[in-house]
Amino acid sequence: MKPAAASRHLATGAPLPAWLRASLERRLTVGLCVAVLLSALVLVVLAQSLNRRALVQEQETAAMRLAQVFEASLQHAMLRRDVPGMASILARMGQAPGVARARLLEPHGTVRFAANAADVGTQDAQALAGLCVTAGCAVPAPRLRWRDGDGNNDAAAAAAPGARPALQIAYPIHNQARCQQCHGPVATHPVNGVLLLDFQALPGMPWRDRATLLSAGLAALLVFAGIMAWTLRRQVTQPLYQLLQGSEKLASGDWSTRLHVAALDELGRVAQGFNRMADRLGRMMGALQQQHTFLQTLIDAVPDPLLVIDANFRIRLANRAYGNLLGLDTAAIVGSTCHQTSRGLREPCPCTLVTCPVAEMRQQAQPVHSVMRLRRADGGQVEADIEAALVESASGERLTVEILRPLDRTVRFSQEQRLSTIGLLANGVAHEIHNPLASIRLALQACLRGLRGGDISNEELMDYLGVVDHEIDRCVLTTRRLMQMSAVPSQTLGPVRVLPAIHDVLALLGEECRAAGVAVSRQCAPAEACILGDEAEFRQVLINLIHNALHATPAGGYIEIRATQEGSDRLRLQVQDSGSGIALADQALIFMPFFSRRADGQRGTGLGLAISKSIVDRFGGEISVRSTPGQGATFTVLLPLAASAPPSPPSGAAASAAASSLLQGTTP
C-alpha cells in the first residue's frame, strides 16, 4: 500500500485499529497483554486439569489399597468363619472417608454383605458386566470405572476440568486353596465374590483456590510481560523510533542526520546501513547541488534569455538574462508557469491567438519559431523572437528549451554591426573619394590659371572639365555604394545582381586589401546572375565574409570569390582564403552571436557571421564552412535565383542625380 493510500486508510478506519496501526510499540503492548491473558487462562485450565488428574490418580490408588486391605481382612475373617466380622468390616468400610457405598456381591450378582443393610440380598448383575467370574475364565483384574452424576459410565468425564465424576471399583476376591472347603475348587469357582465400592464424586476446585491460582499466574505473567515490554521498548521500539526520526530528517533534507549505534545486533546493523546510506545520499546530493550550480552558472553565461519548461507549462530552469528581460528575480521565476511569468495569465496562452512552443511540442517534436509579446514586471512590454526545441530527459520526461531574442536588440545589433562595417570601410572610402577630389582640384586649378593668363584654349578647358565630370562620377558611385550598404532592409525580397554587388564591395575594400598585401580575385558565371534577396543585406553578407577572410589571411595570401549557378534555381557563392583556417572545435560555434576567434588577435564583435547566417536564412538559403587548420577556409552560400533581373542601375548624370537625391533624402 502506498503511503498516501495508507494515510487515507488510517484516517477512515475505526479509531482503535488506526490508533494501533500508528505505533509499533502500541501493537506490541496490546499483543503482549492479550498473550498474557490467554497464557493465564491456559495456565488455570492446565492447573485444573493437572489437579483433577492428580486427584483421579490418587483416588484410584487409594481405592486399590482399600480394596486390598478389605481383601486381606475378608480372607482372615473367612478363615475364622466369622460372618458377623465380615459384615462389620464391610460396614466400617462404607463409613470410610470418601466411600459412598460398599457391597460384596456373589459371582452371580446377589449382594451378600453391604454397608447399607437395605442393599443385602438385592441383585446388581449389571455391576459385574464385563467381569468373567465363572468357571473357565482367567482370573479377572480389578476394574476401575468412572461414572457421571447420573450413574452412566463416562471414562472421559474424570479428566474434564469442571466435571464431578464418581469412581466405582469392582475388585474380584480370588478363590484360594485355603478357601476351597467352603467355596469349592478354583477351577469351577475362580472368584469367591466381588467387592463393589462406590466413591463420592471428586470435589471441584474452590473458587478461592481458583482465584488464588489465577492471581498467582497473572502476577507471574505480568512480571514476565513487564520485563518483555521493557526489553522490547529498549531493544526494539526505541531503535526503530530513532530510525524513523532519522528517516524523517533525511527526507526533509537534513543530510547530516546520523544514528547512534549502541550494539552490533540486527537493529544496530540496520542503523549502520542507514548511516552509510545517509553518507552516500549526502555525497550524491552535494554532487547534484554542484551540478545544478554549474548548470545555472552555465545558462546564466548565455547572453540570450533561456528557459526550460516542462509539459505542464512550469519553468524548470531560467537564466539571469531572462530575469533581466522581465525585471524579475530568477529564484521567483523557477517553479512558476511560463504564462503567468511572461504574460500575466492564469491559464496557458490560447493556441488560436499565439504560437505557444510548449503546446506545439505536444503535436510535433520539431523546432518551433514564434514571435510573442511579453509583459515586464514594471508593466512594460517587449517583443521577443523565440526559438524552441524539444529535449527528453533520462526518465523520459519531455522538456521544451526556449531561447528568446528581443526584437529591438536584434535590430540594434544588426544596425550596429552594419555601421561598424561601414566604419571599417572608411579607409577605402577615403581613398576612393580623395583621389577623384585631388584630380578635380588639379583640373580646376589648371583651368583657373589658364583663364587668368588667357592662354587656355577651349579644347583644353573642355578636357579639364571632362576630367572633373569623370572624377565626380567616381565620387557619386562611391557614395551610392555606401548608401546601398546603409539602407534599411526592405520587408519584401527582390532580384539582386550578383556581379555588380561583388564589384562594388571589392571597390570599397580595395584599399584595405592592398594595405594588407592580399590579392583578391573574383569570378561570376553567368555574369547576369541574380538572386532573390535584398541589395543592402546581400552586400552586408559579402563584406562580412571578405572581412573574415582578410583578417585570417597574412600578407602575400589570396582571397578567391566564385559565384556559379547550381542547378536551375540556386546560386553557389564561395569565399575561399589561404589563411590560418578555423579550429575544428570552433567550426560549430562561429555562427553563434558574440563568438569571436580572429586570427589576427584582435577582439571582434562576434556578430558578423551570426547576422550573415540570419540574412541567408531570411533569403531561404544555406551557409556552411569547410576548413583545415593552417590551410585556409572556404565559406559556401547557397542562394535562390531570382525569376527576373532588376532594372539596370543609373549611370553618368542620372547616377549623379540619384546620389544627390539620396543624400538629400528625396526620391528622384
Side-chain angles (χ1 to χ4, degrees):
M1 185 180 292
K2 295 182 179 180
S7 300
R8 290 193 298 269
H9 180 71
L10 290 176
T12 57
L16 183 59
W19 178 78
L20 286 177
R21 284 193 294 269
S23 172
L24 176 62
E25 184 177 0
R26 295 171 189 168
R27 294 200 300 273
L28 289 176
T29 302
V30 172
L32 193 58
C33 292
V34 173
V36 167
L37 291 176
L38 293 177
S39 300
L41 292 176
V42 171
L43 180 62
V44 171
V45 172
L46 182 61
Q48 288 183 344
S49 177
L50 293 176
N51 179 62
R52 180 55 54 90
R53 289 183 182 275
L55 289 176
V56 168
Q57 186 176 3
E58 182 180 356
Q59 193 165 26
E60 289 179 352
T61 303
M64 287 295 296
R65 290 177 180 175
L66 186 61
Q68 291 172 357
V69 171
F70 174 78
E71 182 183 19
S73 301
L74 183 63
Q75 289 178 355
H76 181 70
M78 289 175 61
L79 291 175
R80 292 188 291 110
R81 299 179 182 275
D82 186 4
V83 176
M86 289 188 290
S88 176
I89 292 172
L90 196 61
R92 289 196 300 271
M93 184 172 291
Q95 297 176 357
V99 178
R101 192 177 183 186
R103 293 172 294 169
L104 181 63
L105 279 67
E106 293 181 352
H108 56 271
T110 303
V111 178
R112 178 71 181 275
F113 301 101
N116 186 2
D119 292 334
V120 177
T122 60
Q123 188 73 20
D124 194 358
Q126 185 180 0
L128 302 181
L131 287 176
C132 186
V133 294
T134 58
C137 294
V139 179
R143 186 183 64 190
L144 298 173
R145 184 168 56 183
W146 291 90
R147 302 185 300 170
D148 58 10
D150 296 330
N152 298 321
N153 295 334
D154 190 5
R164 296 188 63 189
L167 177 64
Q168 183 185 68
I169 182 172
Y171 191 89
I173 304 299
H174 299 170
N175 189 8
Q176 299 182 12
R178 53 185 178 179
C179 300
Q180 293 182 11
Q181 297 178 0
C182 298
H183 295 280
V186 175
T188 59
H189 297 84
V191 176
N192 295 334
V194 178
L195 176 64
L196 198 62
L197 296 178
D198 291 321
F199 291 87
Q200 296 177 356
L202 290 176
M205 180 178 290
W207 285 106
R208 181 179 299 175
D209 294 343
R210 293 183 182 180
T212 302
L213 179 62
L214 181 61
S215 300
L218 282 175
L221 290 175
L222 286 175
V223 172
F224 171 77
I227 296 174
M228 288 299 298
W230 179 83
T231 303
L232 287 175
R233 180 179 178 83
R234 182 177 179 84
Q235 302 296 329
V236 178
T237 58
Q238 283 186 351
L240 288 178
Y241 182 69
Q242 293 178 359
L243 182 62
L244 175 63
Q245 285 184 322
S247 301
E248 291 177 348
K249 290 182 179 179
L250 202 63
S252 64
D254 185 4
W255 309 113
S256 62
T257 301
R258 298 295 183 274
L259 298 181
H260 174 67
V261 181
L264 293 179
D265 54 5
E266 289 80 358
L267 291 177
R269 291 194 291 272
V270 171
Q272 287 181 333
F274 177 88
N275 292 338
R276 290 193 296 269
M277 179 187 68
D279 291 337
R280 181 174 296 179
L281 284 176
R283 291 192 298 268
M284 291 175 61
M285 293 307 298
L288 287 176
Q289 185 63 35
Q290 291 179 357
Q291 292 180 2
H292 179 75
T293 302
F294 173 76
L295 178 61
Q296 188 65 44
T297 304
L298 183 64
I299 66 173
D300 283 341
V302 177
D304 291 325
L306 184 144
L307 287 179
V308 178
I309 308 172
D310 62 18
N312 296 321
F313 302 95
R314 198 160 298 278
I315 298 175
R316 294 291 188 85
L317 287 174
N319 65 350
R320 189 180 296 110
Y322 182 78
N324 295 337
L325 177 66
L326 299 183
L328 296 173
D329 186 14
T330 306
I333 296 174
V334 176
S336 62
T337 57
C338 56
H339 48 268
Q340 174 67 31
T341 302
S342 60
R343 295 177 62 85
L345 301 177
R346 295 184 178 180
E347 299 295 333
C349 303
C351 297
T352 56
L353 299 180
V354 296
T355 302
C356 176
V358 180
E360 291 293 325
M361 291 300 175
R362 292 179 177 177
Q363 305 297 329
Q364 57 180 358
Q366 298 294 331
V368 176
H369 175 264
S370 66
V371 177
M372 190 175 295
R373 179 174 296 175
L374 309 180
R375 192 189 70 172
R376 292 177 50 84
D378 55 7
Q381 294 184 342
V382 58
E383 297 281 349
D385 182 82
I386 302 176
E387 295 283 347
L390 184 68
V391 296
E392 189 169 337
S393 65
S395 61
E397 184 180 14
R398 297 163 68 92
L399 302 172
T400 302
V401 179
E402 294 183 0
I403 296 180
L404 298 85
R405 297 184 180 90
L407 294 182
D408 58 345
R409 192 181 71 177
T410 303
V411 173
R412 186 176 67 253
F413 283 162
S414 179
Q415 189 64 17
E416 287 178 356
Q417 204 275 342
R418 183 177 287 109
L419 295 177
S420 175
T421 302
I422 294 175
L424 293 174
L425 298 176
N427 186 34
V429 171
H431 182 270
E432 289 292 324
I433 294 179
H434 178 269
N435 291 340
L437 289 178
S439 298
I440 291 172
R441 183 176 184 180
L442 291 175
L444 291 177
Q445 288 177 348
C447 291
L448 289 175
R449 285 196 302 269
L451 291 174
R452 289 192 187 100
D455 54 353
I456 186 172
S457 63
N458 289 334
E459 291 76 6
E460 289 180 320
L461 183 60
M462 292 297 293
D463 290 338
Y464 283 128
L465 291 178
V467 171
V468 170
D469 183 67
H470 175 71
E471 297 301 328
I472 289 176
D473 284 341
R474 289 181 58 187
C475 292
V476 169
L477 182 59
T478 302
T479 56
R480 182 174 62 82
R481 290 168 177 169
L482 287 178
M483 286 297 184
Q484 290 176 334
M485 283 294 303
S486 60
V488 177
S490 62
Q491 297 298 321
T492 59
L493 302 179
V496 178
R497 297 180 182 274
V498 177
L499 185 58
I502 297 175
H503 176 74
D504 290 347
V505 169
L506 290 180
L508 293 174
L509 295 176
E511 183 62 25
E512 187 173 353
C513 293
R514 286 190 293 272
V518 176
V520 180
S521 63
R522 61 180 176 270
Q523 177 185 354
C524 181
E528 64 277 5
C530 297
I531 65 165
L532 185 63
D534 179 83
E535 186 79 34
E537 288 186 330
F538 179 61
R539 294 167 185 259
Q540 180 77 26
V541 172
L542 289 173
I543 288 179
N544 289 339
L545 295 179
I546 297 173
H547 256 150
N548 282 342
L550 190 60
H551 295 153
T553 306
Y558 66 89
I559 298 175
E560 292 184 2
I561 303 172
R562 295 186 298 273
T564 57
Q565 185 171 341
E566 184 173 292
S568 60
D569 58 349
R570 303 185 82 180
L571 179 81
R572 177 185 294 271
L573 175 66
Q574 289 185 314
V575 178
Q576 182 179 0
D577 63 72
S578 61
S580 58
I582 304 172
L584 183 61
D586 294 340
Q587 292 182 21
L589 306 174
I590 59 175
F591 294 108
M592 293 181 60
F594 307 105
F595 181 84
S596 178
R597 290 286 191 276
R598 282 178 51 168
D600 56 4
Q602 300 296 321
R603 175 63 180 175
T605 62
L607 294 173
L609 290 178
I611 292 178
S612 298
K613 185 178 186 305
S614 66
I615 292 174
V616 173
D617 291 342
R618 179 171 177 259
F619 291 174
E622 301 175 7
I623 184 171
S624 60
V625 63
R626 184 180 72 254
S627 176
T628 301
Q631 299 181 14
T634 301
F635 283 85
T636 302
V637 182
L638 295 177
L639 296 170
L641 289 172
S644 61
S648 299
S651 60
S656 300
S660 177
S661 299
L662 288 173
L663 292 174
Q664 295 174 5
T666 62
T667 302

